Amino acid sequence: MGNITMWIYYGGKKSIDEVAKNDNSFLGLIVVIILGFILFYSFK
C-alpha cells in the first residue's frame, strides 16, 4: 500500500520496482488508517 502511494506521489515517473526498493510499509499503514477512518465515518 505504501509503495503504491509513493508511486502515485512521484506521478509514475519512477518505476514501481524502484519505489519498492525503499521500505514504505509505515506510510502504507498510515494510508490504511486514514482510509479506514474515512470509510468508517462515511457509512455512519
Side-chain angles (χ1 to χ4, degrees):
M1 194 74 193
N3 290 336
I4 295 169
T5 307
M6 286 304 294
W7 182 74
I8 293 170
Y9 172 75
Y10 287 122
K13 292 176 185 166
K14 289 189 175 186
S15 68
I16 196 71
D17 295 330
E18 196 175 334
V19 173
K21 287 179 187 173
N22 300 327
D23 182 26
N24 297 314
S25 57
F26 183 71
L27 178 65
L29 181 66
I30 294 171
V31 171
V32 168
I33 290 171
I34 292 171
L35 287 176
F37 275 115
I38 291 171
L39 290 174
F40 181 74
Y41 285 111
S42 65
F43 290 117
K44 260 192 157 182

